[in-house]
Amino acid sequence: MSDSWIIVIPEDPEYQPTEHQKLKLLAELANLAPNAEEIVIETDGHHIQFFDCGENFEVVRCPACNAEVSSEMWGDWMSNNYGDGPGFDLSSRELPCCGAIFSLNELTYDMPQGFARFGASAMNCDRTKLTDKETQLLDTAIGDRVRIIYRYI
Protein backbone atom coordinates (compact mmCIF):
# COMPACT_ATOMS: atom_id res chain seq x y z
CA MET A 1 0.00 0.00 0.00
CA SER A 2 1.24 3.50 -0.83
CA ASP A 3 1.43 6.45 1.52
CA SER A 4 1.26 10.16 0.86
CA TRP A 5 2.10 13.25 2.87
CA ILE A 6 1.53 16.97 2.73
CA ILE A 7 4.73 18.47 4.10
CA VAL A 8 5.01 22.10 5.18
CA ILE A 9 8.43 23.76 5.47
CA PRO A 10 9.47 27.41 5.76
CA GLU A 11 10.59 28.96 2.48
CA ASP A 12 13.73 30.17 4.32
CA PRO A 13 15.77 27.04 5.22
CA GLU A 14 17.27 28.78 8.27
CA TYR A 15 13.92 29.89 9.73
CA GLN A 16 13.09 28.56 13.18
CA PRO A 17 9.48 28.99 14.31
CA THR A 18 8.73 29.47 17.99
CA GLU A 19 7.05 26.68 19.93
CA HIS A 20 3.82 28.68 19.80
CA GLN A 21 4.09 28.97 15.98
CA LYS A 22 4.76 25.23 15.70
CA LEU A 23 1.61 24.48 17.66
CA LYS A 24 -0.41 26.93 15.54
CA LEU A 25 0.92 25.28 12.38
CA LEU A 26 0.03 21.79 13.61
CA ALA A 27 -3.47 22.97 14.57
CA GLU A 28 -3.99 24.63 11.19
CA LEU A 29 -2.72 21.54 9.37
CA ALA A 30 -5.14 19.41 11.41
CA ASN A 31 -8.00 21.72 10.33
CA LEU A 32 -6.98 21.43 6.67
CA ALA A 33 -6.44 17.65 6.81
CA PRO A 34 -8.97 16.32 9.35
CA ASN A 35 -8.74 12.76 7.99
CA ALA A 36 -4.94 12.51 8.31
CA GLU A 37 -3.63 9.35 9.94
CA GLU A 38 -0.86 11.34 11.59
CA ILE A 39 0.24 14.97 11.87
CA VAL A 40 3.78 15.47 13.18
CA ILE A 41 6.83 17.69 13.36
CA GLU A 42 9.40 16.11 11.02
CA THR A 43 12.75 17.50 12.22
CA ASP A 44 14.61 18.36 15.37
CA GLY A 45 15.27 21.91 14.18
CA HIS A 46 19.07 21.76 14.47
CA HIS A 47 20.19 20.60 11.03
CA ILE A 48 19.11 21.60 7.56
CA GLN A 49 17.47 18.54 6.05
CA PHE A 50 16.15 17.72 2.59
CA PHE A 51 12.38 17.24 2.32
CA ASP A 52 11.72 15.22 -0.81
CA CYS A 53 8.58 14.44 -2.77
CA GLY A 54 9.30 10.70 -3.07
CA GLU A 55 7.97 9.13 -6.25
CA ASN A 56 6.54 12.50 -7.36
CA PHE A 57 10.10 13.59 -8.25
CA GLU A 58 10.37 14.51 -11.93
CA VAL A 59 13.10 16.99 -12.84
CA VAL A 60 15.30 19.75 -11.46
CA ARG A 61 15.66 22.94 -13.50
CA CYS A 62 17.73 26.11 -13.49
CA PRO A 63 15.53 28.99 -12.27
CA ALA A 64 17.25 31.43 -14.65
CA CYS A 65 17.02 29.64 -18.01
CA ASN A 66 14.76 26.66 -17.22
CA ALA A 67 17.37 24.16 -18.48
CA GLU A 68 17.20 20.71 -16.92
CA VAL A 69 19.89 19.95 -14.34
CA SER A 70 21.18 16.42 -14.93
CA SER A 71 20.31 13.94 -12.20
CA GLU A 72 24.01 12.98 -12.00
CA MET A 73 25.13 16.58 -11.41
CA TRP A 74 22.31 17.19 -8.91
CA GLY A 75 23.15 13.98 -7.04
CA ASP A 76 26.84 14.89 -6.84
CA TRP A 77 25.96 18.38 -5.63
CA MET A 78 23.65 16.91 -2.96
CA SER A 79 26.40 14.53 -1.77
CA ASN A 80 29.07 17.23 -1.70
CA ASN A 81 26.81 19.79 -0.01
CA TYR A 82 25.90 17.65 3.00
CA GLY A 83 28.15 18.18 6.02
CA ASP A 84 28.48 16.34 9.31
CA GLY A 85 27.61 19.34 11.48
CA PRO A 86 24.89 21.55 10.00
CA GLY A 87 23.34 19.07 7.59
CA PHE A 88 23.18 20.76 4.20
CA ASP A 89 25.17 24.00 4.03
CA LEU A 90 23.31 25.20 0.90
CA SER A 91 26.29 26.95 -0.62
CA SER A 92 25.66 28.39 -4.07
CA ARG A 93 27.33 27.24 -7.25
CA GLU A 94 27.47 28.20 -10.88
CA LEU A 95 25.20 26.18 -13.12
CA PRO A 96 26.74 25.00 -16.40
CA CYS A 97 23.67 25.84 -18.50
CA CYS A 98 23.81 29.63 -18.27
CA GLY A 99 26.32 30.51 -15.54
CA ALA A 100 23.63 31.62 -13.06
CA ILE A 101 24.47 31.04 -9.41
CA PHE A 102 22.00 29.27 -7.12
CA SER A 103 21.89 27.03 -4.05
CA LEU A 104 20.22 23.62 -4.04
CA ASN A 105 17.21 25.18 -2.32
CA GLU A 106 16.81 27.80 -5.05
CA LEU A 107 16.61 25.31 -7.91
CA THR A 108 13.22 24.66 -9.48
CA TYR A 109 11.94 21.24 -8.47
CA ASP A 110 9.11 19.57 -10.33
CA MET A 111 7.39 18.49 -8.04
CA PRO A 112 8.36 20.84 -5.18
CA GLN A 113 11.06 19.78 -2.72
CA GLY A 114 13.13 21.83 -0.32
CA PHE A 115 15.49 22.28 2.58
CA ALA A 116 14.68 23.36 6.13
CA ARG A 117 15.51 22.96 9.80
CA PHE A 118 11.85 22.42 10.53
CA GLY A 119 8.94 20.69 8.87
CA ALA A 120 5.47 19.42 9.67
CA SER A 121 3.54 16.77 7.82
CA ALA A 122 0.09 15.24 7.49
CA MET A 123 0.11 11.58 6.42
CA ASN A 124 -2.57 9.98 4.24
CA CYS A 125 -4.97 12.88 4.64
CA ASP A 126 -7.18 11.93 1.68
CA ARG A 127 -7.37 15.36 0.06
CA THR A 128 -6.24 17.24 -3.02
CA LYS A 129 -3.56 19.92 -3.11
CA LEU A 130 -3.87 22.93 -0.84
CA THR A 131 -5.35 26.11 -2.29
CA ASP A 132 -3.51 29.44 -2.24
CA LYS A 133 -5.80 30.59 0.56
CA GLU A 134 -5.03 27.47 2.63
CA THR A 135 -1.31 27.97 2.03
CA GLN A 136 -1.63 31.55 3.26
CA LEU A 137 -3.21 30.26 6.48
CA LEU A 138 -0.11 28.11 7.01
CA ASP A 139 2.14 31.12 6.23
CA THR A 140 0.38 33.07 8.96
CA ALA A 141 0.54 30.20 11.46
CA ILE A 142 4.29 29.69 11.09
CA GLY A 143 5.22 33.35 10.67
CA ASP A 144 7.04 32.84 7.35
CA ARG A 145 6.18 31.92 3.77
CA VAL A 146 5.88 28.16 3.43
CA ARG A 147 6.73 25.66 0.74
CA ILE A 148 4.30 22.77 0.32
CA ILE A 149 5.71 19.39 -0.67
CA TYR A 150 3.53 16.49 -1.75
CA ARG A 151 5.38 13.25 -0.99
CA TYR A 152 4.20 9.94 -2.39
CA ILE A 153 5.88 6.65 -1.55
Side-chain angles (χ1 to χ4, degrees), residues 24 39 73 98 116 123:
K24 282 176 58 177
I39 297 176
M73 186 183 96
C98 66
M123 180 181 176

Side-chain angles (χ1 to χ4, degrees), residues 1 5 9 13 17 22-23 29 33 43 50 56 59 65-66 76 103 105 117 121 125:
M1 183 173 164
W5 290 262
I9 63 172
K22 289 177 187 178
L23 293 175
L29 198 50
T43 63
F50 178 57
N56 285 332
V59 297
C65 70
N66 206 37
D76 288 346
S103 73
N105 193 57
R117 293 184 187 277
S121 67
C125 51

Side-chain angles (χ1 to χ4, degrees), residues 25-78:
L25 177 64
L26 288 176
E28 195 62 57
L29 198 50
N31 286 335
L32 297 174
N35 297 326
E37 289 179 19
E38 177 180 69
I39 297 176
V40 297
I41 300 293
E42 287 228 352
T43 63
D44 64 11
H46 299 291
H47 302 95
I48 295 176
Q49 300 296 315
F50 178 57
F51 290 85
D52 68 275
C53 63
E55 293 178 24
N56 285 332
F57 182 80
E58 293 181 21
V59 297
V60 179
R61 296 190 181 280
C62 170
C65 70
N66 206 37
E68 188 171 334
V69 175
S70 76
S71 57
E72 182 180 342
M73 186 183 96
W74 180 77
D76 288 346
W77 193 2
M78 289 284 288

Side-chain angles (χ1 to χ4, degrees), residues 3 6 10 21 24 36 42 44 49 55 62 65 77 83 88 96 98 113 119 121 127 132-133 135 139 141-142 148 152:
D3 292 310
I6 296 175
Q21 289 169 322
K24 282 176 58 177
E42 287 228 352
D44 64 11
Q49 300 296 315
E55 293 178 24
C62 170
C65 70
W77 193 2
F88 286 90
C98 66
Q113 303 184 95
S121 67
R127 65 154 296 153
D132 289 343
K133 184 176 180 180
T135 300
D139 290 342
I142 198 174
I148 308 298
Y152 179 78

